[in-house]
Amino acid sequence: MRCQVAIIGAGPAGLSLAHMLHLQGIDSIVIEHRSRDYVEQRVRAGILEQVSVDLLTDIGLGDRLHANAMVHDGFYIRFDRQTHHLNLHARSGRHSYVYGQSEVVHDLIEARIATGRPLVFSAEDVAVSGIDTDRPTVTYSVDQQTFEVNADFVAGCDGSQGVCRTLAPAGAVTRYAHSYPMAWLGILARTAPVTAEGMYCAHPDGLSLHSMRGPNITRQYLQVPADTDLREWSDERIWKELLRRSESDDHPALETGEIFDRSLAHLRSEVIQPMQYGSLFLLGDAAHIVPPTGAKGLNLALSDACVLSHALGGFYRSGRTDFLERYSTTALPRVWQAQAFSTKLTAALHQLSDNPFDYELRRAQLQRWVTSEAEQDAMSEVYFGLPFPTPWNFH
Ligand code: FAD
Ligand code: DHB
C-alpha cells in the first residue's frame, strides 16, 4: 500500500493527527497494535485544557464533548487542613474540561471510521524502516498476513513504550530524563466528588488528588513509593489513606464507595530532542513524558499533532518544507513549558523528602498560590493551556 503519512499508534496523538490531515485532504493510515476495545477502555487522563477543547471543537469533534464534559473554573488546593479554591476562570475567562481520555479516543475513532480511511487495530510486529530516506516503509501483520506501507512520512505516535522513539540512531537525538522515586496509585470509584472541582491535598506524608469523571464517578490518586505492589492495597487501605491525607476543618470527609478500577503510574519526565529524524516525526508520549501532576500529557499530544498537521499541510498544499524542518523547534518550547509547570506542581504537592525544611518550602509555595493574584494569573495561563504553536491547518 502507498500513502502519504503512516501513523503508528491510535492514541490521542495519532488519531487527532489522522483527522486533521484528512480535513486537509492528506491521506494516512493509522496502525495500532492493540484492539479497539483495549484502546477505548484504557483509563488515563481526564482534564482537557481550554485550547484543546477549542481545537477539538474546531475540527468537528465538539458535540459529545460539550454535551458531556464537566466545565471547571479551576481547582482546589488543601493543606494544613484548610481548603482553598483557585478560581482561575475569574482571572482569564477560560475553563478546563473534565472529559475522559477514553471519550476523546472514542470520538476520534468514530470520526476516523466515518472518513473511510484506513485504521488498523491489533496489528502485530509493527516495524519501521528507511526513515533516513524519503520513502520510509512500515510493515505489520494481521491474522498472520503481512502488509507493507510505503509512505512519504512516518508519524511516531506510539506512546512511551512504542518502537518509534528508539529508531533514531545513537547520537542523532538527546534524551533528557528525570525519574521520581514514586508513583500514583489511581482509582475510579462510584462516589460523588467531595468538592465541585478537582482537589490536590498536599499532606506532609504525600499527595492525595481527588478528581472526577462525572457527578457520581471519582478519579482519585495517592502518592505511593515507586516499588509499590498494588496487591498490598485493599479497598479499605486505599480509602483509609485517601481519608487521612484529605482531612480538613472546613469540609465533610470524602464519600467512600465501590472501587471499580485501579492502576499504578510511575512519575517521570523525559524529552527526546529533536522530535524528528529524517522522515520520522515523534509526537505525544513517544517524544516526551511529563509527570501527571497538572494534567498536561494528553494536551501536549494534541498540540504536537496540530504542529505536524500544519507543517504537512504546508508541504502537500504549497510544496513548503520549512515548516516540516522546524517541526521540532516549533513544538518543543511548549513541551518544556509543560515540563516546567508539571515539575513545579509535583514538587509543591508531593512529599519528596523527609526533611521538614522541604515541607516548609512547599508550604511557602502553596501559600503564594492561594493568596497571590499574580501567581494565579501565571497559573491560569498554563493550566488552561498556553496557545498552540501553530494552527492545525495550512492556509
Ligand atoms: P498513547 O495514549 O500512549 O497512545 C499510543 C498508542 O500507540 C497506544 O494506543 C498504544 O497501544 C499504541 N502502540 C504502542 N506501541 C505500538 C506499536 N509498536 N505499534 C503500534 N501501536 C503501538 N494527560 C492529560 O493531558 N490530562 C490528564 O488529566 C492526565 N492524567 C493522566 C493520569 C495518569 C494516571 C496517566 C498515566 C497519564 C495521564 N495523562 C494525562 C497523560 C496522557 O494519558 C498521555 O500523555 C497521553 O495518553 C499521550 O497520548 P499519545 O497518543 O501520545 O500516547
Ligand atoms: C487528573 C486530574 C488532575 O488534576 C491531574 O493533575 C492529573 C490527573 C485526572 O483527573 O486524571
Side-chain angles (χ1 to χ4, degrees):
M1 180 193 167
R2 161 95 195 100
C3 79
Q4 290 170 314
V5 186
I7 299 174
I8 317 293
L15 290 165
S16 64
L17 176 68
H19 190 65
M20 291 185 263
L21 293 181
H22 166 72
L23 294 178
Q24 299 194 87
I26 300 167
D27 78 73
S28 65
I29 179 170
V30 182
I31 303 163
E32 162 63 49
H33 79 157
R34 299 282 192 173
S35 68
R36 176 174 178 178
D37 277 357
Y38 183 94
V39 169
E40 283 191 343
Q41 279 159 28
R42 195 163 32 194
V43 177
R44 278 194 171 175
I47 312 290
L48 292 176
E49 296 168 347
Q50 179 74 59
V51 285
S52 296
V53 170
D54 293 345
L55 171 75
L56 291 168
T57 308
D58 199 29
I59 62 174
L61 290 163
D63 292 356
R64 270 186 85 241
L65 194 166
H66 289 290
N68 295 297
M70 298 169 94
V71 183
H72 284 182
D73 291 342
F75 56 85
Y76 291 82
I77 295 184
R78 183 175 284 176
F79 63 103
D80 296 342
R81 303 180 65 90
Q82 304 299 315
T83 314
H84 308 264
H85 184 231
L86 266 64
N87 189 334
L88 305 177
H89 171 73
R91 319 204 59 78
S92 62
R94 303 198 294 163
H95 290 286
S96 59
Y97 296 75
V98 178
Y99 193 61
Q101 181 165 331
S102 44
E103 305 300 328
V104 176
V105 166
H106 172 80
D107 295 347
L108 285 163
I109 290 175
E110 289 290 317
R112 178 69 180 179
I113 289 171
T115 68
R117 295 202 191 255
L119 166 58
V120 180
F121 287 106
S122 307
E124 290 172 35
D125 305 321
V126 178
V128 182
S129 59
I131 55 167
D132 45 5
T133 72
D134 56 7
R135 273 286 174 275
T137 300
V138 181
T139 54
Y140 63 93
S141 47
V142 176
D143 296 334
Q144 269 131 43
Q145 209 186 330
T146 301
F147 298 86
E148 184 175 294
V149 180
N150 296 301
D152 298 333
F153 302 101
V154 176
C157 304
D158 50 351
S160 59
Q161 311 291 324
V163 290
C164 292
R165 67 204 316 278
T166 64
L167 294 177
V173 294
T174 308
R175 281 163 210 278
Y176 298 90
H178 177 78
S179 64
Y180 296 86
M182 59 188 184
W184 278 15
L185 191 169
I187 61 158
L188 279 172
R190 278 184 232 289
T191 57
V194 69
T195 46
E197 301 182 345
M199 174 170 66
Y200 297 97
C201 298
H203 192 274
D205 293 344
L207 171 87
S208 69
L209 165 53
H210 308 269
S211 184
M212 61 202 70
R213 291 293 180 269
N216 290 304
I217 306 268
T218 54
R219 175 78 168 142
Q220 307 191 49
Y221 300 99
L222 278 172
Q223 174 191 345
V224 292
D227 59 1
T228 293
D229 182 347
L230 263 187
R231 288 168 303 186
E232 288 170 7
W233 284 81
S234 62
D235 289 11
E236 195 190 2
R237 184 175 175 199
I238 292 172
W239 284 122
K240 201 171 152 199
E241 198 56 19
L242 285 168
L243 281 161
R244 191 174 77 81
R245 292 194 198 171
S246 62
E247 276 176 355
S248 81
D249 296 330
D250 50 22
H251 275 72
L254 290 183
E255 202 178 277
T256 62
E258 181 205 345
I259 296 176
F260 61 95
D261 187 272
R262 69 182 64 203
S263 59
L264 206 59
H266 290 92
L267 266 66
R268 65 195 176 94
S269 299
E270 187 171 343
V271 180
I272 296 179
Q273 214 164 291
M275 293 163 55
Q276 184 224 341
Y277 175 78
S279 44
L280 171 71
F281 293 82
L282 297 178
L283 292 83
D285 279 14
H288 40 72
I289 311 288
V290 289
T293 336
K296 290 290 165 218
L298 161 61
N299 296 285
L300 279 184
L302 296 177
S303 109
D304 291 351
C306 202
V307 175
L308 188 57
S309 167
H310 175 263
L312 288 167
F315 179 76
Y316 286 112
R317 289 176 160 215
S318 308
R320 290 186 62 163
T321 54
D322 51 337
F323 291 108
L324 283 173
E325 283 153 14
R326 289 202 300 270
Y327 165 69
S328 187
T329 51
T330 306
L332 275 169
R334 195 175 191 279
V335 171
W336 280 109
Q337 289 298 330
Q339 287 289 7
F341 181 75
S342 301
T343 302
K344 190 170 172 182
L345 246 63
T346 300
L349 294 167
H350 293 75
Q351 192 244 18
L352 293 165
S353 101
D354 293 330
N355 186 341
F357 177 85
D358 293 326
Y359 183 67
E360 294 305 323
L361 281 184
R362 290 172 53 197
R363 175 186 274 147
Q365 174 65 77
L366 295 168
Q367 251 145 11
R368 295 293 299 151
W369 280 335
V370 301
T371 54
S372 156
E373 296 195 351
E375 288 274 345
Q376 288 176 19
D377 281 338
M379 172 78 83
S380 83
E381 266 189 321
V382 191
Y383 187 72
F384 292 143
L386 289 170
F388 285 174
T390 67
W392 62 268
N393 53 354
F394 186 83
H395 292 293

